[in-house]
Amino acid sequence: MKLDLKKELTKQWFKNLQEIICKNIEEIEKNKIFFKIKNWSRNKKKDEGGGESRLLENGKVFDKVGVNFSEVYGKFPKELKSKIPGIKKSTDFWASGISIVMHMKNPHVPAMHFNTRYIVTSQGWFGGGMDVTPCIKDNKLKKWLHKNLKIMCDRHNKKYYKNYSKWCDKYFYLQHRQETRGIGGIFFDYKKDNWEKDFSFVKDVGLEFIKIFNEIILKKNKVRWTKTDKENQYIKRGRYVEFNLLYDRGTKFGLQTGGNIEAILMSLPPLAKWK
Amino acid sequence: MKLDLKKELTKQWFKNLQEIICKNIEEIEKNKIFFKIKNWSRNKKKDEGGGESRLLENGKVFDKVGVNFSEVYGKFPKELKSKIPGIKKSTDFWASGISIVMHMKNPHVPAMHFNTRYIVTSQGWFGGGMDVTPCIKDNKLKKWLHKNLKIMCDRHNKKYYKNYSKWCDKYFYLQHRQETRGIGGIFFDYKKDNWEKDFSFVKDVGLEFIKIFNEIILKKNKVRWTKTDKENQYIKRGRYVEFNLLYDRGTKFGLQTGGNIEAILMSLPPLAKWK
């Protein structure tokens, strides 16, 4: 398949997925509160792409949820040369993706994160994943999540679940506190085995995320919570901030490549506390 | 002067300054609320020093203030070899310092930060500074602050104020937002011109900080504030978190050298918001 078509197809998928998920979230909010949409450009002077970031705040179910789509291109900063595959000869790149972080009102509903992307330099690869961060310990939820992710992964390749859930645990780890961010999920990058199969997997990850966040909300949003639960959530959100600013590659990548600050930092919680 | 004596004198100064400033803060709180003191060791198995961190929270004037003293020694991690002067042959180091961050209840009173330290490898040098972060624009305060810092600096060397206030502006800058953290102050590092003179300057910076925070609180703490002022303060504190986790060298240094997490992250505000 021609590269241009691959770009077009992945981009369309990410854009459509953004649309579907936003509608879904607004329905969960009983269509009483809606996303605010902002379009942004990477460069005001020349065309280097941009994105559409959508933000819903202060819902009955969602405290804050950002759903970002972007399609950007141009040249990588030279500092990244050794860090990105396929830019030795030319630093030209193209990238498109969707990225979501949900911070929930009810502390029994975990924070949820999902992202998939397709990046093209002289090579092309997929990356992405999802992970779940409860602030109240819940082993049943952890088991349920991983069972579902395994079933989805197994449809594509029996090795995926083991590899990608391990990668997730390793990636979402707060070294300085020696603790995991949450209960894991899946994470993958530099995926370029077979474009059709990889793309089909990437699409499935998106659909699985929809299923998972809907079921988790259905299960957990009815549970009553106390002031102490909410305080614990604020503290846990502090950890989320620490992870995103100290370690997250997406955040660093975005800040270094002149991405949109608002869109990049949309992953930060509305309110965090430190003791 | 013998190196051991230099270490002893600087360490004693930092420790005494911690004592004085904590007493001062408790007096501002009318001795109705007190610091909680925690001692920590860098290494549980062998003696590599440690520190005493003091935290006061939920005061009438201070929302959260941390006053940390530390004296640590041992070996630098090899990754830092190229970044720290004087550890090519041996990675042995000794460091002592005091570090303070004040997050205030009244949004008209700026957040204030102060730090001084003495570090010894095969070389020895002082570093430190102070800076002020209002969340409500205040040009008069900025002028007043810099006038005072200039007078203090001029007592030691006519070049200090210009150099160190510039260094401060450059250091406390949020690149990704293209904005300064606050209204500046002074910042210096690798200072090893003349030990006696340098130490005398470092002590003066500490005393000046006491004068400055007392006067600012006296001036500003009576001013009435609205809910909107408080909301703006929470947003500004989000920027503070961004700076400390994305850029601050002290934070990175601490996390990389196995410092005490609680003490390092004591600089984070009690509550921060992101829109």
Side-chain angles (χ1 to χ4, degrees):
Chain A
M1 195 186 294
K2 275 199 171 167
L3 189 58
D4 277 352
L5 189 54
K6 288 180 185 172
K7 288 181 183 174
E8 191 58 31
L9 287 172
T10 49
K11 177 184 124 179
Q12 289 303 340
W13 166 256
F14 298 138
K15 192 74 194 69
N16 288 333
L17 193 60
Q18 181 192 39
E19 196 64 39
I20 295 164
I21 289 176
C22 287
K23 283 265 172 299
N24 188 168
I25 290 168
E26 287 171 346
E27 264 168 42
I28 293 172
E29 289 289 351
K30 301 203 163 73
N31 288 309
K32 284 187 176 153
I33 184 167
F34 300 95
F35 278 91
K36 283 185 188 140
I37 299 180
K38 270 196 189 170
N39 286 286
W40 58 272
S41 300
R42 191 159 159 262
N43 190 324
K44 270 168 197 150
K45 287 174 194 160
K46 55 180 175 174
D47 178 20
E48 293 191 330
E52 185 176 316
S53 69
R54 299 190 180 187
L55 181 65
L56 185 148
E57 283 178 298
N58 301 318
K60 293 256 185 253
V61 179
F62 295 85
D63 257 357
K64 180 181 175 187
V65 48
V67 181
N68 290 318
F69 162 80
S70 68
E71 183 204 9
V72 293
Y73 36 88
K75 288 189 179 297
F76 268 119
K78 281 187 183 138
E79 305 90 86
L80 293 178
K81 227 170 186 171
S82 61
K83 288 176 186 165
I84 307 283
I87 57 166
K88 260 185 197 162
K89 283 186 187 161
S90 154
T91 57
D92 285 341
F93 82 103
W94 177 95
S96 182
I98 174 171
S99 157
I100 301 173
V101 175
M102 304 174 164
H103 294 286
M104 314 305 294
K105 188 155 195 152
N106 185 331
H108 287 281
V109 189
M112 291 176 270
H113 158 251
F114 157 78
N115 157 252
T116 44
R117 56 195 177 268
Y118 182 54
I119 297 178
V120 180
T121 58
S122 68
Q123 308 167 17
W125 67 91
F126 288 98
M130 72 178 88
D131 77 300
V132 170
T133 310
C135 57
I136 296 164
K137 213 182 160 174
D138 190 338
N139 278 327
K140 232 173 118 184
L141 183 76
K142 187 174 175 179
K143 268 194 186 161
W144 175 87
L145 169 74
H146 284 272
K147 195 187 76 188
N148 277 275
L149 288 172
K150 186 173 185 310
I151 293 170
M152 184 275 294
C153 285
D154 283 353
R155 285 200 291 270
H156 300 270
N157 186 316
K158 298 281 178 200
K159 286 179 186 163
Y160 282 0
Y161 171 73
K162 198 182 162 195
N163 293 343
Y164 298 160
S165 64
K166 247 192 206 163
W167 200 339
C168 184
D169 287 341
K170 213 176 149 188
Y171 181 76
F172 292 105
Y173 187 72
L174 284 80
Q175 189 61 46
H176 63 293
R177 294 194 182 270
Q178 312 241 327
E179 65 186 37
T180 57
R181 172 156 101 167
I183 55 173
I186 53 169
F187 184 93
F188 58 97
D189 206 355
Y190 311 117
K191 186 156 185 49
K192 46 179 177 174
D193 305 321
N194 169 306
W195 192 84
E196 267 80 15
K197 284 187 184 165
D198 292 345
F199 187 34
S200 143
F201 174 65
V202 160
K203 285 191 279 191
D204 218 11
V205 174
L207 299 174
E208 186 65 22
F209 177 67
I210 294 180
K211 202 191 83 187
I212 281 174
F213 84 74
N214 275 284
E215 289 202 31
I216 288 182
I217 290 170
L218 208 65
K219 265 185 225 275
K220 296 286 173 186
N221 198 48
K222 300 167 294 195
V223 185
R224 289 199 172 204
W225 48 277
T226 63
K227 224 182 140 186
T228 312
D229 293 332
K230 196 69 187 167
E231 284 300 306
N232 287 336
Q233 189 191 42
Y234 291 141
I235 297 293
K236 190 72 183 169
R237 284 179 179 174
R239 305 285 204 270
Y240 216 88
V241 173
E242 288 174 22
F243 181 85
N244 284 14
L245 298 180
L246 285 172
Y247 304 113
D248 188 59
R249 295 193 313 180
T251 304
K252 287 215 159 75
F253 178 86
L255 296 177
Q256 282 169 339
T257 53
N260 182 266
I261 303 306
E262 263 182 87
I264 296 164
L265 297 183
M266 206 176 266
S267 62
L268 298 180
L271 197 166
K273 289 190 178 181
W274 283 269
K275 269 201 270 204
Chain B
M1 196 187 292
K2 276 202 172 166
L3 188 60
D4 277 352
L5 188 54
K6 289 180 184 172
K7 289 182 184 173
E8 192 58 30
L9 286 172
T10 50
K11 177 184 125 180
Q12 288 303 339
W13 167 255
F14 298 137
K15 193 73 196 67
N16 287 334
L17 192 60
Q18 181 193 38
E19 196 64 39
I20 295 164
I21 289 176
C22 288
K23 283 265 173 297
N24 187 168
I25 290 168
E26 287 171 346
E27 264 170 42
I28 293 172
E29 290 288 349
K30 301 202 162 72
N31 289 309
K32 283 186 178 154
I33 184 167
F34 301 95
F35 278 91
K36 282 184 188 139
I37 299 179
K38 270 196 189 171
N39 287 286
W40 58 272
S41 300
R42 190 158 160 261
N43 190 325
K44 271 170 197 149
K45 287 174 195 160
K46 55 180 177 175
D47 179 21
E48 295 191 328
E52 185 174 317
S53 68
R54 299 190 181 188
L55 180 65
L56 183 148
E57 282 177 297
N58 301 317
K60 294 255 184 256
V61 179
F62 296 86
D63 258 356
K64 180 181 175 186
V65 47
V67 181
N68 289 319
F69 162 81
S70 69
E71 183 204 9
V72 293
Y73 35 88
K75 289 190 177 296
F76 269 119
K78 281 186 184 137
E79 306 90 85
L80 294 177
K81 224 166 187 174
S82 61
K83 289 176 184 163
I84 307 284
I87 58 167
K88 260 185 200 162
K89 280 187 191 161
S90 154
T91 57
D92 285 341
F93 82 103
W94 177 96
S96 182
I98 175 171
S99 158
I100 301 173
V101 175
M102 303 175 165
H103 294 286
M104 314 304 293
K105 188 155 195 153
N106 185 332
H108 287 282
V109 188
M112 291 176 270
H113 159 250
F114 157 78
N115 158 252
T116 42
R117 57 194 176 268
Y118 183 53
I119 297 178
V120 180
T121 59
S122 69
Q123 307 167 20
W125 67 90
F126 288 98
M130 72 179 90
D131 78 301
V132 171
T133 310
C135 57
I136 296 164
K137 215 185 157 170
D138 191 336
N139 278 326
K140 230 173 119 184
L141 183 75
K142 186 175 174 175
K143 267 194 186 161
W144 175 86
L145 170 74
H146 284 273
K147 195 186 76 189
N148 277 275
L149 288 174
K150 187 174 184 311
I151 293 169
M152 184 275 294
C153 284
D154 283 353
R155 284 201 292 270
H156 300 269
N157 186 316
K158 296 283 178 202
K159 285 179 187 164
Y160 282 180
Y161 172 73
K162 199 182 162 194
N163 293 343
Y164 297 159
S165 64
K166 248 193 206 164
W167 201 341
C168 183
D169 286 341
K170 215 177 148 187
Y171 181 75
F172 292 105
Y173 187 72
L174 283 79
Q175 189 61 44
H176 64 290
R177 295 195 181 267
Q178 312 241 326
E179 64 186 41
T180 57
R181 172 157 101 167
I183 55 173
I186 53 169
F187 184 92
F188 58 96
D189 207 354
Y190 311 115
K191 186 155 186 48
K192 45 178 178 176
D193 306 322
N194 169 307
W195 193 84
E196 266 80 13
K197 284 188 183 165
D198 293 344
F199 186 35
S200 143
F201 174 65
V202 159
K203 284 191 280 190
D204 217 10
V205 173
L207 298 174
E208 186 66 21
F209 177 68
I210 294 180
K211 201 190 84 188
I212 281 174
F213 83 76
N214 275 285
E215 289 203 31
I216 288 182
I217 290 170
L218 207 65
K219 264 185 223 275
K220 296 286 172 184
N221 198 46
K222 299 167 293 196
V223 185
R224 287 198 174 205
W225 49 276
T226 64
K227 224 183 138 184
T228 312
D229 294 332
K230 196 68 187 169
E231 282 302 306
N232 287 335
Q233 188 191 43
Y234 291 141
I235 297 293
K236 189 73 183 167
R237 284 180 180 174
R239 305 285 205 268
Y240 217 88
V241 173
E242 289 175 22
F243 180 85
N244 283 15
L245 297 181
L246 285 172
Y247 304 115
D248 188 58
R249 295 194 312 183
T251 305
K252 286 212 160 73
F253 178 85
L255 296 178
Q256 283 170 337
T257 53
N260 183 266
I261 303 306
E262 263 182 87
I264 296 164
L265 298 181
M266 206 178 267
S267 62
L268 298 180
L271 197 164
K273 288 190 179 183
W274 283 268
K275 268 202 270 207

